[in-house]
Amino acid sequence: MSARIYLLGAGAFAVGTSAYVVSGVLPDVSSELHVSLTAAGQLATAFSLAYAVGAPILSTLTGRWERRTLLIAALVLAALGNLIAAVATNYPVLIVGRVVAAFGAAVYTPAATLFATGLLPPEERGRAVAIVFGGLTFALVLGVPAGTLLGPVLGYKGVFALITIVAVLVAIAERAALPKVDAPPVVSLRERFAGVTDRRVQTVLAMSVLGVLAAFSVYIYIVPLLKETVHLGGNAVGFLLLVYGLGAVVGNLLGGRATDRFGSLRTLCGVLVGSIVMVATLDLSATTMVGAGAALFLWGMFTWAFNPPIQNLLLELGGGLLISLNASAIYLGAGLSAVVGGLVIQLVGITYLPLVAAVLDVVVLGLLVTLRRDPALQRVEHLEEEPVLAVAAD
């Protein structure tokens, strides 16, 4: 498999770390800028919402750009956002930095996904998607622990400065290693959203929003949840988060391979059933250190196996124009998760979070059932198609 695809995954790691690391530096931000933890937590919300809004708009504005140039510019923009955060001396400037970094990520992830799928034959497209998203899963594995460990040493400014350096280094490497690829035909914003009128596309995007909402409404509050169920803290919780991240890496890779072998619909069905079982029983299985480790590994695996088949399904339905919309759907779900999770905690208590997440996953499974009845998609699952788009498509 082309080493260039792993380089694209490294870029996804850089922009993904930019998104996730904030959770580990919230106490430092709160202390140094004299804002509440709740206000500091809105740094994550600002990033997610800016990404959700920016992905389709920026993809349209940069539609004429040569693709390698676009990837490098996106990484530079993400680096600039983190640099702003690194020198910020007040909360509003820090928010600006988060928004700029999110815009860079919003351009990079969809473009890198499509670039990667063009480097491999159609039957390996799911693996290409999984490698790019593998960068995001490694960001999840390392981002939060790195922020937690490095925050007290470097301060939040040092952490953001480090991410800036990583993004710049990856940009330099991509400039040297990736081929030039011409821009695809120009697509207007109206044309980019035209696919949303397809009921099947609406269903898949809704599945993305709800699936991410289900996963992150629990994950965001996993530390206090584990303290409630396992009565652990400190290094033990950090270890369990690492176990979850390792499960995410495994699940992402297996999701890509399963998509190539069994098709998007059947892979999604298995992934959702496994996710429902694991999250619904999380408060029961995560009552000991060993049980919590096993449960978090499997839950992380099923959760992150969700992305490759969803992305591939959108490619089957309408091609690369839908990838940036799915990126928006993913971050919309992430942006809503803190709000929904907080409401659940206020209304019924933190131990009900896994049950609510399981209900959301059941809804996603119901939406999938409606797709499985579509004759056109059933045929796609059994055919080896030519690539929907060239590598340059966006």
Side-chain angles (χ1 to χ4, degrees):
M1 187 171 289
S2 174
R4 293 168 176 171
I5 297 180
Y6 291 97
L7 188 56
L8 293 167
F13 170 79
V15 300
T17 302
S18 177
Y20 298 132
V21 76
V22 69
S23 298
V25 298
L26 289 185
D28 294 325
V29 172
S30 174
S31 174
E32 186 163 339
L33 298 184
H34 307 292
V35 297
S36 67
L37 277 175
T38 302
Q42 298 313 304
L43 295 172
T45 302
F47 188 101
S48 296
L49 295 182
Y51 189 118
V53 173
I57 296 174
L58 292 173
S59 293
T60 300
L61 294 176
T62 58
R64 296 180 183 272
W65 292 30
E66 184 269 320
R67 300 293 93 177
R68 185 183 68 177
T69 300
L70 178 62
L71 290 173
I72 294 169
L75 285 171
V76 170
L77 185 61
L80 176 61
N82 284 285
L83 180 60
I84 292 172
V87 300
T89 57
N90 57 63
Y91 183 75
V93 174
L94 186 53
I95 286 286
V96 170
R98 296 296 292 163
V99 170
V100 172
F103 286 162
V107 173
Y108 183 87
T109 306
T113 300
L114 290 169
F115 203 111
T117 59
L119 294 176
L120 294 177
E123 62 271 15
E124 297 183 18
R125 192 166 56 194
R127 278 183 236 184
V129 173
I131 289 172
V132 175
F133 271 82
L136 297 179
T137 59
F138 274 109
L140 180 66
V141 172
L142 299 177
V144 176
T148 303
L149 293 174
L150 296 177
V153 179
L154 302 178
Y156 80 86
K157 294 182 178 181
V159 171
F160 284 124
L162 187 60
I163 299 172
T164 301
I165 295 171
V166 171
V168 170
L169 290 176
V170 175
I172 293 171
E174 290 191 356
R175 173 66 177 78
L178 295 181
K180 284 188 175 182
V181 177
D182 292 335
V186 177
V187 179
S188 69
L189 193 59
R190 176 176 293 181
E191 290 172 314
R192 189 172 294 278
F193 280 95
V196 181
T197 59
D198 187 329
R199 177 192 57 80
R200 298 169 302 174
V201 172
Q202 294 170 359
T203 301
V204 176
L205 293 177
M207 289 168 61
S208 277
V209 173
L210 294 175
V212 172
L213 176 59
F216 276 81
S217 61
V218 178
Y219 182 76
I220 286 177
Y221 298 100
I222 193 65
V223 173
L225 179 62
L226 288 174
K227 289 181 179 179
E228 182 75 19
T229 58
V230 198
H231 307 294
L232 295 175
N235 293 334
V237 172
F239 173 76
L240 290 176
L241 290 176
L242 178 61
V243 169
Y244 171 90
L246 293 174
V249 172
V250 172
N252 182 69
L253 295 175
L254 291 179
R257 291 181 178 273
T259 299
D260 289 335
R261 182 169 182 180
F262 302 110
S264 302
L265 297 180
R266 281 180 286 181
T267 300
L268 279 169
C269 185
V271 165
L272 285 168
V273 170
S275 184
I276 290 167
V277 171
M278 292 312 305
V279 75
T281 60
L282 191 61
D283 61 333
L284 300 176
S285 56
T287 55
T288 66
M289 185 69 177
V290 174
L296 287 177
F297 180 87
L298 291 173
W299 179 48
M301 185 179 72
F302 283 116
T303 295
W304 283 81
F306 183 78
N307 286 315
I310 280 284
Q311 297 276 54
N312 196 62
L313 186 56
L314 286 169
L315 287 172
E316 292 167 351
L317 285 172
L321 295 180
L322 300 177
I323 296 299
S324 62
L325 296 182
N326 188 55
S328 295
I330 289 172
Y331 276 85
L332 177 60
L336 293 173
S337 60
V339 177
V340 172
L343 286 175
V344 172
I345 292 172
Q346 284 187 339
L347 295 175
V348 292
I350 195 169
T351 56
Y352 283 86
L353 275 177
L355 180 60
V356 172
V359 171
L360 289 171
D361 276 335
V362 169
V363 174
V364 177
L365 185 60
L367 293 174
L368 177 64
V369 170
T370 67
L371 288 176
R372 287 181 64 87
R373 294 174 180 171
D374 187 282
L377 281 176
Q378 289 176 358
R379 286 194 298 272
V380 167
E381 292 288 289
H382 295 90
L383 294 176
E384 287 188 7
E385 296 186 309
E386 293 300 316
V388 176
L389 302 173
V391 63
D394 190 308

